[in-house]
Amino acid sequence: DGFKTQAWLETRENLAEYILATYPQLFSTQERALLIQHLDEAESKGYMYETAIVQYAVAKQSAVKNGKDFAALEKQLTWHISAPLARAAELFNLLNLEQPNDRQ
């Protein structure tokens, strides 16, 4: 379990750096703790793939910045889309975000 935790901490750090560089309009460096919180939340909710975790964190912050109820959106999509990867992509798309082509 310690190895898994360490692996997540390293992945989370890499994802945070990627998001801060790619989405500066959503996250400033001063909001890093909030970004880390969103990443941890995505991981704890079962979003396993890096793309899904990034999309979740970015979509959540976009919703917050635009005054949208992210929890309600996610709950509604959970009824229709059980797979976390597909659900994260749909959240991302609903909030009109674009994923750069370099992320797998």
Side-chain angles (χ1 to χ4, degrees):
D1 194 44
F3 177 75
K4 185 178 177 186
T5 300
Q6 184 60 36
W8 166 243
L9 293 177
E10 290 174 14
T11 298
R12 183 182 74 181
E13 189 61 30
N14 291 335
L15 295 178
E17 290 301 318
Y18 170 78
I19 291 170
L20 287 170
T22 309
Y23 300 99
Q25 73 278 19
L26 293 177
F27 289 100
S28 68
T29 52
Q30 292 80 17
E31 295 171 306
R32 184 182 189 81
L34 179 62
L35 170 56
I36 295 295
Q37 182 181 338
H38 291 346
L39 293 170
D40 283 340
E41 184 177 301
E43 195 264 346
S44 72
K45 286 185 169 189
Y47 294 89
M48 302 181 312
Y49 299 103
E50 289 182 12
T51 297
I53 293 169
V54 166
Q55 288 177 331
Y56 178 93
V58 170
K60 182 165 186 175
Q61 186 65 6
S62 176
V64 168
K65 290 221 177 211
N66 290 299
K68 298 190 189 239
D69 187 343
F70 182 80
L73 275 174
E74 184 185 23
K75 186 175 183 179
Q76 179 183 9
L77 285 178
T78 302
W79 285 95
H80 303 291
I81 306 171
S82 61
L85 185 61
R87 190 168 55 247
E90 187 59 23
L91 283 166
F92 196 78
N93 292 334
L94 280 174
L95 293 162
N96 297 315
L97 296 163
E98 292 184 19
Q99 180 80 19
N101 292 327
D102 65 339
R103 193 86 198 154
Q104 305 275 333

